[in-house]
Amino acid sequence: MTAAVKHYFEIEHNLIISDDCITCVPLEGEGKVEDRVNLLYTNLINNSEWLEAVSSADVILWATHSQGTPVSVRLLHRLLERGHIHTHRQSVGLLAMAGIAHGPFPYLKGSLIVKYFEADAARELFEFMDSESDISQKFRASLVAILDRGTRVTLVASMQDQVVPLYSAIISAIQHPNILRSIYIDSHIYYVDDFLINLITFALQLRNAGLSDHGLLTHISDVLAGNLYAFEGGHSTIYEERHVYGMAVQHLFETLPLGRCVLIDPPVQPVNPKIHPFQAKAVKNPYCLPWAMRGICEDPGIISHPTWSKQLEHLHSLFEAWQPTNPKLHSVKLRLEPWSLAMI
């Protein structure tokens, strides 16, 4: 994060940020979510240098990964509640990389790795699959609280993540203008005219503009799962990429009130977070994906907008040329075939 901040100000503002202007606070600890929150809070409070840096900072940029996402949201909420962070004079940005907000992939619950080798902390993560569970309720309440206090939340999922579904990393069940959603794609799988990549980024843009993706990102998530037993990037390479951190820096400094960027269709008045119930399912109805695509294509807010309608046309042309080779992607092509026929 430090490198991203320095790079941003040097490139965008021709300003060199010295090391003594930035204080790094590396909070580390193992255990279940609430245990880690208590441990990290105690460690921070007991370190007077860190606590003073946090309380006196003009800007707080917080980076977290995987299980650290619910831990960080809960901890940030506590620091706000207890007066250690003051959003009336401090700007706060939270970057969550491959965060487990709606749990891991449901099929991993029976994995030998989780069942026999991982600790209770790993098994607890499956409780996030149900929005009515106690830990989910606490996490959601804290997320709403930090958004209400003006925190800019940048959510970055990882393509081919072996552990965290796309819908979980982008916290699909909540909507708020202070949330920016994106996806990290390893260079070896990126292709500019790939239909699936363009479909996902299009749906993410809709969510960032305050529009609905009609559940498409949820129902496409399983297709993106990486191999848990192969070293192909995904879950563990996202936090090594400086540009991921740079997106969080831009989100904080280039949107209101620090910057001038706004949503394409900004709300007239401040809005409360919209949060919906969520229940992850091990087996999804295959017909939900084409139904979601139908919803997008018939959404008045999308088809009447010149930008979105043009992108839909481009997606259709990419779909026509798309020749998937593996069974999972071929299944997606088959399920979306009615959309192609409807466009003729």
Side-chain angles (χ1 to χ4, degrees), residues 265-281:
D265 297 307
V268 178
Q269 297 178 341
V271 296
N272 295 322
K274 295 179 181 178
I275 192 161
H276 306 284
F278 188 89
Q279 181 76 48
K281 297 179 180 179

Side-chain angles (χ1 to χ4, degrees), residues 159-160 183-203 205 220 223-224 311-326 328-330 332-333 336 339:
M159 195 90 158
Q160 288 195 319
I183 188 167
Y184 165 75
I185 305 171
D186 285 310
S187 59
H188 71 280
I189 62 171
Y190 178 75
Y191 176 53
V192 66
D193 287 328
D194 180 81
F195 166 73
L196 188 61
I197 290 175
N198 279 270
L199 177 64
I200 293 165
T201 55
F202 173 68
Q205 289 177 61
I220 203 76
V223 177
L224 308 179
Q311 287 197 40
L312 265 178
E313 292 178 6
H314 179 59
L315 272 175
H316 182 257
S317 65
L318 292 179
F319 180 79
E320 290 295 296
W322 190 38
Q323 298 295 330
T325 54
N326 71 54
K328 288 196 299 184
L329 298 184
H330 188 268
V332 172
K333 174 97 176 184
L336 291 180
W339 167 55

Side-chain angles (χ1 to χ4, degrees), residues 39-85:
L39 173 64
L40 300 183
Y41 179 77
T42 300
N43 290 346
L44 178 59
I45 295 302
N46 289 339
N47 189 312
S48 58
E49 182 181 348
W50 285 356
L51 186 60
E52 172 60 24
V54 169
S55 297
S56 63
D58 296 314
V59 172
I60 297 172
L61 281 162
W62 193 310
T64 184
H65 175 256
S66 195
Q67 186 212 26
T69 296
V71 172
S72 293
V73 169
R74 293 283 293 150
L75 180 57
L76 177 55
H77 183 201
R78 182 180 295 186
L79 292 171
L80 286 165
E81 276 193 323
R82 300 189 180 181
H84 300 297
I85 295 177

